[in-house]
Amino acid sequence: MTYDLIVIGGGPGGYTAAERAGGAGLFVLLAEKRALGGVCLNEGCIPSKTFLNSAKIADHAKNGNAYGVIAQGVKLDHPAVVKRKNRVVKKLVAGLDMKMKKNNVTVVNGEAVISGRTEEGFRVNINGSAYTGKRLLIATGSVPVIPPIPGLDESYEKGIAVTNREILDIETTPENLVIIGGGIIGLEMASYFNSAGSRVTVVEMLDHIAGPTDREISGILLNNYKKKGIDFRLSAKVIEIKGNEVIFESSDGIQRVTGDKILVSVGRKPDTKGLGLETIGVETDGRRIITDEFLRTNIPEVYAAGDVNGISMLAHTAYREAEAVVNNILGKRDRMRYFAIPSVIYTNPEVASVGETAESAQEKGLDVEIIKLPLSYSGRYVAETDRGDGIVKVLVDKQYRTILGLHIIGNYASEIIYGAAVMMETEMRVDDIREIVFPHPTVGEVIREAMFEA
Ligand code: NAI
């Protein structure tokens, strides 16, 4: 029995490809070693959003007085938050399971290892059984980067140092939480545990948080969280972990912070370990599987989508890449475009971005006009947010008058940003956007308003 497609990895890339390919009538096998839904559904995007939503409800209640809402003794019941998270994840995994059945996808639970190629196709071993597929899609995702910090392994073994996986299941909120890495995971978890009452310290190597986010926007986020009491140690190099203690060096010399938990969130790396790529000669650059714009590897009939190709390590990129893979398999040429992929940090306030930042535009020498408006241009924002400092920042190409980048800090940003991605994908010009009617009152209206400032 030969499958038309064997998909390795059941995360957003893998399950989407399996669903689409199965739906198109291909004979598909999907291998998953942990749980259907992958990191995103089981220990990433979705669980963290259940946490952050509870935090947002608590924050709203705590700050209710200014809005005429009196609530007393508000606090987060962490075990209940974790329980709810588990229910949400279970429900969504069950939904995926049904989707696979509906699309005639054979799901095999176990670790898949590629073992070579025969006349019939690629050989894959799972739990001691051999399967053959005419094509392979590698969608094995990524794993956390564990930096070579002396003492980290010991601290991890003792259950003090944790990654994004373990932090979502801790039973009580730590009194003191130290987070190494002020990127997306670090900030989202800092946000939750700050709301839950932990004293949070973020130790970040760079002189700013939120990585490649537009610097002005990440500065506003930093100020918001400093006000909420998070202690940021920037330009700080961690040199050692001694049990509960994180020792780091910054311009102020050698310092120490203590946490009952230490979250390590310094990035993720493509997961190709033990996959048997060498048995068929799939090319990597030592870190990621190399793919072209059709998601093909150097071996015809072997594709790689999602974090494992290391291009844009986001679940929504994986969805689209998976669809491109299936279209290409079906003979519908589908080229992946990466220039308008939005990214969101679900802090409170939220940050959402698409395209070039002021910094990347300058680095590339792009001729841009930058328009910046406070979100207080939106009636709804003012009606709902006291003392809000949200902004929208738009980069317009001076020659063609199209949008090259758009960044928002403020709540609802996550739900607005796709509009900006659409504007970029369809190469709308400033004048075209001015003619679109936006609903009023909404926060998104500031985008239209910004077009009149351009
Ligand atoms: P990240 O790349 O976002 O941030 C890592 C941070 O750690 C960077 O600021 C980096 O400068 C810092 N760092 C690196 N080494 C360090 C060291 N030794 N000491 C101190 N700081 C150090 O990575 P993160 O937060 O782990 O997230 C991993 C991936 O998960 C990202 O690719 C992200 O795209 C994805 N993700 C996406 C989310 C979303 O879309 N909302 C949510 C969570 C994760």
Side-chain angles (χ1 to χ4, degrees):
M1 190 159 69
T2 304
Y3 287 91
D4 292 318
L5 175 65
I6 294 182
V7 180
I8 305 180
Y15 72 67
T16 303
E19 182 190 348
R20 299 277 187 269
L26 297 184
F27 188 37
V28 183
L29 180 142
L30 173 69
E32 168 54 55
K33 66 180 173 184
R34 295 178 75 95
L36 215 48
V39 169
C40 172
L41 179 43
N42 295 282
E43 54 200 63
C45 327
I46 301 298
S48 58
K49 259 73 288 164
T50 66
F51 273 38
L52 289 164
N53 184 52
S54 295
K56 211 177 256 180
I57 294 170
D59 288 350
H60 275 166
K62 281 184 212 158
N63 302 324
N65 280 356
Y67 300 86
V69 178
I70 296 156
Q72 274 153 359
V74 177
K75 65 179 179 93
L76 272 173
D77 176 358
H78 183 70
V81 173
V82 175
K83 258 195 203 149
R84 177 170 180 274
K85 180 266 290 182
N86 292 338
R87 276 202 308 277
V88 168
V89 170
K90 202 169 156 197
K91 181 174 169 184
L92 291 170
V93 172
L96 270 185
D97 207 35
M98 285 204 1
K99 257 188 189 168
M100 294 303 116
K101 287 198 178 90
K102 193 173 150 222
N103 290 286
N104 299 318
V105 175
T106 305
V107 177
V108 180
N109 275 107
E111 183 162 359
V113 181
I114 304 165
S115 63
R117 190 175 189 174
T118 64
E119 294 238 308
E120 285 83 51
F122 300 97
R123 303 272 289 173
V124 176
N125 292 320
I126 314 166
N127 298 338
S129 303
Y131 301 87
T132 307
K134 288 186 217 158
R135 302 173 195 85
L136 282 185
L137 168 60
I138 301 164
T140 47
S142 61
V143 289
V145 169
I146 304 296
I149 299 171
L152 174 55
D153 289 348
E154 291 83 347
S155 180
Y156 184 78
E157 271 155 32
K158 284 186 194 147
I160 300 165
V162 291
T163 68
N164 63 292
R165 176 175 296 159
E166 298 87 15
I167 191 108
L168 293 165
D169 284 314
I170 58 175
E171 283 162 12
T172 51
T173 50
E175 210 167 295
N176 291 291
L177 172 66
V178 179
I179 299 179
I180 304 179
I184 306 192
I185 294 180
L187 291 171
E188 290 189 353
M189 286 300 107
S191 177
Y192 171 78
F193 285 101
N194 171 257
S195 298
S198 300
R199 261 193 303 274
V200 180
T201 307
V202 176
V203 182
E204 165 60 52
M205 193 168 70
L206 303 174
D207 63 357
H208 60 273
I209 57 166
T213 305
D214 185 276
R215 211 56 70 74
E216 188 174 6
I217 302 260
S218 67
I220 296 173
L221 186 65
L222 181 74
N223 282 338
N224 270 272
Y225 273 99
K226 271 187 183 167
K227 276 188 212 149
K228 289 185 184 184
I230 294 182
D231 183 6
F232 289 94
R233 309 296 182 95
L234 303 181
S235 305
K237 187 176 184 299
V238 178
I239 46 182
E240 194 180 350
I241 294 175
K242 271 191 187 157
N244 292 77
E245 208 175 37
V246 176
I247 305 166
F248 62 91
E249 198 175 4
S250 70
S251 54
D252 299 329
I254 292 184
Q255 297 174 63
R256 296 155 193 267
V257 274
T258 305
D260 6 321
K261 288 283 174 200
I262 300 167
L263 170 66
V264 181
S265 51
V266 298
R268 299 183 61 87
K269 60 177 184 191
D271 187 6
T272 55
K273 206 170 148 202
L275 199 53
L277 293 179
E278 65 292 346
T279 63
I280 52 171
V282 174
E283 202 185 335
T284 72
D285 67 1
R287 189 183 80 91
R288 64 183 196 95
I289 295 181
I290 298 169
T291 50
D292 65 9
E293 53 203 348
F294 301 99
L295 288 316
R296 295 176 301 202
T297 67
N298 60 314
I299 312 272
E301 294 98 32
V302 180
Y303 297 81
D307 284 10
V308 77
N309 69 30
I311 300 174
S312 155
M313 296 171 72
L314 295 164
H316 42 281
T317 302
Y319 287 142
R320 173 69 193 117
E321 287 181 337
E323 288 160 358
V325 167
V326 175
N327 284 337
N328 287 314
I329 289 174
L330 296 172
K332 295 181 229 165
R333 208 175 138 82
D334 193 348
R335 186 189 301 251
M336 185 67 201
R337 299 176 300 278
Y338 292 98
F339 72 97
I341 294 178
S343 103
V344 176
I345 312 178
Y346 294 84
T347 39
N348 184 11
E350 295 175 347
V351 171
S353 316
V354 61
E356 304 293 346
T357 61
E359 293 74 32
S360 69
Q362 194 186 15
E363 224 168 76
K364 293 179 187 170
L366 300 172
D367 196 12
V368 293
E369 179 187 349
I370 298 182
I371 303 120
K372 212 168 58 184
L373 283 187
L375 293 192
S376 54
Y377 269 57
S378 148
R380 182 177 188 189
Y381 184 78
V382 177
E384 296 187 359
T385 322
D386 284 351
R387 295 192 297 275
D389 55 0
I391 63 165
V392 63
K393 192 167 173 182
V394 192
L395 282 77
V396 173
D397 184 301
K398 272 194 182 160
Q399 189 183 356
Y400 298 108
R401 311 296 290 155
T402 51
I403 311 293
L404 292 183
L406 197 146
H407 311 270
I408 312 173
I409 177 163
N411 285 337
Y412 304 114
S414 56
E415 297 292 343
I416 295 169
I417 199 67
Y418 84 93
V422 171
M423 292 166 195
M424 286 180 62
E425 274 279 351
T426 56
E427 297 181 344
M428 290 179 85
R429 290 166 188 249
V430 167
D431 284 345
D432 302 324
I433 303 166
R434 285 179 183 170
E435 287 179 18
I436 296 177
V437 179
F438 284 56
H440 174 77
T442 55
V443 176
E445 281 179 292
V446 291
I447 294 181
R448 185 167 184 272
E449 205 58 48
M451 296 303 124
F452 285 92
E453 303 283 325

